[in-house]
Amino acid sequence: MNDLFDARQVRHAFGRAAQGYEEASALQREIESRLLESFDHYALRHGDAKPQVIVDLGCGPAHAAAWFRKQIPDARVIAIDAALPMLQAALPNTRGQWLRRKPVDRVCADLRALPLADASIDVLFCNLALQWIDDLPAAFAGFRRVLKPGGLLLCATFGPDTLYELRTAFEQADEVPHVSPFIDIAGFGDALVAAGFREPVLDRDLLVETLPDFTSVLRGLKAMGATNALHARRHSLSGRARFAAADAAYPRDGEGRFPLTWEAVYAQAWGPEPGTPIRDAGGELASVPLSRIPIRRR
């Protein structure tokens, strides 16, 4: 098994969390709001020209999609998520009274296989979905395919300091991984450059929650869908002894409470012109439109 993540488990976890996600996702909303601030750069580059098609990818409750609909009333806004229950729970945010004239379209699809035409999207917004993807360069290649030249990519993911307290605790209690690995800001930027995106700008934040006990940590992660989806996870119950050991090993703050760290990595980049090369470890890979390849017919 080469894949790091079990995609079906990811969909199941977020589908199961859909009904209570609104109450459990304050952290995601905060990161989303910070990422949305970068949308101002679209007007700085394009002046009065408004985006015509905007995608909220890995949309969850589709708050970002609703925000874009308010900001750009004439644009087509598409909310995409791989978990159907999450899209169903997003209905109030995409079909509210003020959205009746032009509601947000909802599409159930995997971001690794976007059902979107080439060079059709003006703004691609992806908040906290890429950390569940094995092949980041392939995901960015798909983003590049659908984004118009000069289109804006806004995305956020989790960096390696995320959940380090929980990772440390379980390393003392169990031999199998309980916390996903997360890419660092340099690797995230390198993947954008390798995919051919122009002028990437990256930033990071550390956000720390403080919870009363170990049970609250685990319940909070489950409520937001952030459960263990690694193929290498334990597929049987971990048992009380392992959880008790992890509880005992969890680092506390000065008041005996349980800190939970999240490292948010933000990226802004622009869609490249057609023909911009894609780079891998071996150098540049040519990108040639099919229409420019001569075909000899017998």
Side-chain angles (χ1 to χ4, degrees):
M1 180 70 67
N2 294 323
D3 290 345
L4 183 65
F5 294 106
D6 182 342
R8 183 162 56 180
Q9 174 63 17
V10 173
R11 288 195 301 272
H12 174 72
F14 281 99
R16 183 177 56 193
Q19 290 304 316
Y21 191 81
E22 290 275 8
E23 293 74 23
S25 59
L27 173 90
Q28 285 86 340
R29 291 294 303 277
E30 175 61 26
I31 295 173
E32 178 184 87
S33 68
R34 298 184 186 192
L35 185 60
L36 284 169
E37 292 174 3
S38 295
F39 178 62
D40 290 343
H41 289 90
Y42 189 91
L44 294 176
R45 173 158 299 209
H46 293 281
D48 293 334
K50 303 295 185 182
Q52 298 177 7
V53 184
I54 300 170
V55 169
D56 179 8
L57 185 56
C59 64
H63 286 293
W67 184 90
F68 280 117
R69 161 59 62 244
K70 289 181 179 179
Q71 299 297 313
I72 317 291
D74 294 326
R76 182 184 183 189
V77 179
I78 305 170
I80 298 179
D81 203 284
L84 182 59
M86 196 66 82
L87 285 172
Q88 292 168 337
L91 182 61
N93 297 326
T94 59
R95 293 291 191 275
Q97 183 174 1
W98 57 273
L99 287 167
R100 287 177 181 172
R101 186 173 67 86
K102 198 168 186 179
V104 173
D105 296 324
R106 293 173 299 151
V107 177
C108 187
D110 194 314
L111 68 77
R112 298 170 299 177
L114 294 174
L116 302 169
D118 293 3
S120 61
I121 307 303
D122 296 283
V123 177
L124 183 57
F125 183 90
C126 183
N127 183 50
L128 301 180
L130 289 166
Q131 67 271 13
W132 301 106
I133 300 299
D134 291 304
D135 192 342
L136 187 60
F140 281 153
F143 290 3
R144 168 183 166 152
R145 178 185 66 80
V146 303
L147 199 62
K148 293 179 181 178
L152 178 60
L153 171 64
L154 296 174
C155 54
T157 191
F158 287 129
D161 282 343
T162 297
L163 305 180
Y164 81 84
E165 300 94 345
L166 187 64
R167 179 184 291 107
T168 300
F170 270 116
E171 284 174 350
Q172 305 302 313
D174 205 348
E175 68 278 6
V176 299
H178 286 257
V179 178
S180 303
F182 301 104
I183 192 169
D184 62 21
I185 190 170
F188 201 68
D190 288 346
L192 280 169
V193 172
F197 283 97
R198 296 167 50 201
E199 305 169 45
V201 177
L202 288 92
D203 201 355
R204 65 184 287 273
D205 280 331
L206 283 179
L207 301 94
V208 182
E209 296 181 274
T210 305
L211 300 167
D213 51 47
F214 190 60
T215 299
S216 299
V217 171
L218 299 180
R219 285 178 177 170
L221 292 173
K222 182 177 180 180
M224 66 172 66
T227 57
N228 189 354
L230 295 167
H231 274 298
R233 70 189 185 277
R234 185 180 295 279
H235 290 266
S236 59
L237 295 176
S238 292
R240 292 183 180 179
R242 290 190 181 91
F243 280 110
D247 187 346
Y250 200 101
R252 273 76 159 173
D253 65 13
E255 299 178 355
R257 292 169 63 84
F258 287 63
L260 194 62
T261 297
W262 303 87
E263 180 184 357
V265 175
Y266 309 89
Q268 166 196 316
W270 300 93
E273 296 299 321
T276 301
I278 298 173
R279 297 172 177 84
D280 66 5
E284 292 187 356
L285 305 177
S287 176
V288 181
L290 182 62
S291 60
R292 291 175 54 188
I293 299 176
I295 300 174
R296 180 178 296 173
R297 294 182 173 85
R298 295 182 180 276

